Amino acid sequence: MDGDSQRSMWDKITHLFGKAEDNLEQAIMEARDEGDVEAEESNMLLSILELGEKQVQEIMTPRTDITCLASETTIQEAARCILDNGHSRIPVYKDTKDNIIGIIYAKDLLTYLVGDNHNFDDHVNKIMRQPFFIPETKISAELLQEFRSRKNHIAIVVDEYGGTSGLITIEDLLEVIVGDIEDEFDAPKEEDIQKITDEQYLLHGRAMLDDLNDIDIPVSSDEVDTIGGYLSLQAGHVPLVNEEFTVGEWKFTVIEADTKQIHKISAQKIAEQTLEDE
């Protein structure tokens, strides 16, 4: 085995970045073509560069999908929530999710429960930790460094008005680089965009418009980022089940929704003859 084959991944990164001048992405692609790095390694390097460009709002779990506990929740109820959801850290709010006041850690709860003076009826605010707040616009690579320096693994993302926008963990950031990290507690993840045929897709309401454009479903907006938000904007309200919308060559039908948001949408390309008839 030659010297190049024996170099560690980090040796390769140092070697590669040392010869890059203005365009690291171009240098990585050239190194892959020349055999200096494997395809899998080059993909990881490109993902690291991508992390330096992404804002946390592009990666975070949105507010509507966050599992939270009210400050009046008892220790026993919190333990049940952790068992049911498999999360090791859960935000605590007072009154509304816009007012996150702490984070419950599973290991703190276990430590409390095995202590001599524990009380199942105590509230979670007795053992919660201070939350770490960050703005939506924070660059993901910077946050990863902060997580390391603070020895923290979770942050609450807030919007420009101080309201809760979402939640992000160190696992979310690492998944940008290495792909999905699953453990025994993770439920099967439903894709935001599921291809049925070349002309039909099943979409989650949170599917990003940019991702739809990537599969030739041209929907764009300066006001919203998701297809659910787009259809709600077009309707002027949260659409009801079976409401239909035509955008260019595509018909969108709401197939699952509640009073707050759209959950699932059918996207069907309209036949050329139908378009002519219309």
Side-chain angles (χ1 to χ4, degrees), residues 76-94:
Q76 185 173 24
E77 291 169 336
R80 173 54 58 189
C81 180
I82 288 173
L83 286 174
D84 289 344
N85 292 281
H87 301 312
S88 60
R89 301 169 182 84
I90 298 181
V92 177
Y93 66 90
K94 184 175 178 60

Side-chain angles (χ1 to χ4, degrees), residues 151-174:
K151 294 181 170 57
N152 192 4
H153 287 182
I154 186 171
I156 303 300
V157 184
V158 294
D159 60 27
E160 59 184 310
Y161 304 105
T164 301
S165 180
L167 174 152
I168 191 164
T169 68
I170 194 169
E171 181 179 300
D172 296 328
L173 298 176
L174 294 177

Side-chain angles (χ1 to χ4, degrees), residues 172-190:
D172 296 328
L173 298 176
L174 294 177
E175 285 183 340
V176 174
I177 301 173
V178 301
D180 286 346
I181 303 170
E182 296 184 356
D183 60 31
E184 64 271 27
F185 296 110
D186 284 339
K189 185 176 179 181
E190 186 176 47

Side-chain angles (χ1 to χ4, degrees), residues 2-249:
D2 60 28
D4 283 344
S5 300
Q6 294 174 336
R7 281 184 302 174
S8 70
M9 178 64 172
W10 292 110
D11 288 337
K12 292 181 180 181
I13 292 174
T14 302
H15 172 74
L16 175 62
F17 283 16
K19 71 178 183 179
E21 295 178 357
D22 298 321
N23 192 331
L24 287 177
E25 182 177 352
Q26 182 64 30
I28 292 169
M29 301 295 285
E30 290 175 357
R32 183 187 64 184
D33 294 341
E34 294 169 5
D36 288 343
V37 294
E38 300 294 333
E40 184 177 347
E41 294 172 339
S42 68
N43 290 338
M44 189 177 296
L45 290 171
L46 291 171
S47 296
I48 293 171
L49 292 184
E50 183 182 351
L51 197 66
E53 300 173 353
K54 280 184 177 291
Q55 296 182 346
V56 295
Q57 61 185 329
E58 301 177 63
I59 304 172
M60 69 182 185
T61 299
R63 166 190 163 130
T64 52
D65 293 341
I66 297 176
T67 299
C68 288
L69 295 172
S71 56
E72 300 83 12
T73 303
T74 66
I75 296 292
Q76 185 173 24
E77 291 169 336
R80 173 54 58 189
C81 180
I82 288 173
L83 286 174
D84 289 344
N85 292 281
H87 301 312
S88 60
R89 301 169 182 84
I90 298 181
V92 177
Y93 66 90
K94 184 175 178 60
D95 299 328
T96 75
K97 286 185 179 182
D98 275 327
N99 187 23
I100 301 294
I101 61 172
I103 305 287
I104 287 292
Y105 282 57
K107 65 179 181 180
D108 292 342
L109 189 146
L110 286 172
T111 300
Y112 177 81
L113 290 178
V114 299
D116 294 331
N117 300 313
H118 70 263
N119 183 343
F120 283 123
D121 294 325
D122 280 342
H123 291 172
V124 290
N125 53 17
K126 186 167 185 176
I127 61 170
M128 68 185 184
R129 300 192 191 188
Q130 276 294 116
F132 172 36
F133 295 103
I134 59 168
E136 294 175 318
T137 52
K138 191 170 193 66
I139 298 301
S140 300
E142 295 174 2
L143 178 59
L144 184 58
Q145 292 298 325
E146 282 196 53
F147 274 155
R148 291 183 60 197
S149 63
R150 295 171 63 99
K151 294 181 170 57
N152 192 4
H153 287 182
I154 186 171
I156 303 300
V157 184
V158 294
D159 60 27
E160 59 184 310
Y161 304 105
T164 301
S165 180
L167 174 152
I168 191 164
T169 68
I170 194 169
E171 181 179 300
D172 296 328
L173 298 176
L174 294 177
E175 285 183 340
V176 174
I177 301 173
V178 301
D180 286 346
I181 303 170
E182 296 184 356
D183 60 31
E184 64 271 27
F185 296 110
D186 284 339
K189 185 176 179 181
E190 186 176 47
E191 296 296 328
D192 291 345
I193 301 174
Q194 298 179 49
K195 182 176 180 179
I196 308 302
T197 68
D198 288 340
E199 299 183 344
Q200 184 178 11
Y201 290 84
L202 178 63
L203 311 176
H204 194 285
R206 64 174 175 249
M208 304 298 290
L209 298 183
D210 287 346
D211 293 336
L212 294 182
N213 285 314
D214 289 343
I215 58 171
D216 295 326
I217 302 181
V219 183
S220 62
S221 171
D222 294 329
E223 299 180 63
V224 295
D225 298 319
T226 66
I227 185 61
Y230 179 84
L231 297 182
S232 295
L233 184 66
Q234 297 301 306
H237 61 267
V238 177
L240 302 174
V241 173
N242 294 327
E243 279 198 57
E244 296 182 349
F245 303 82
T246 299
V247 182
E249 298 179 325

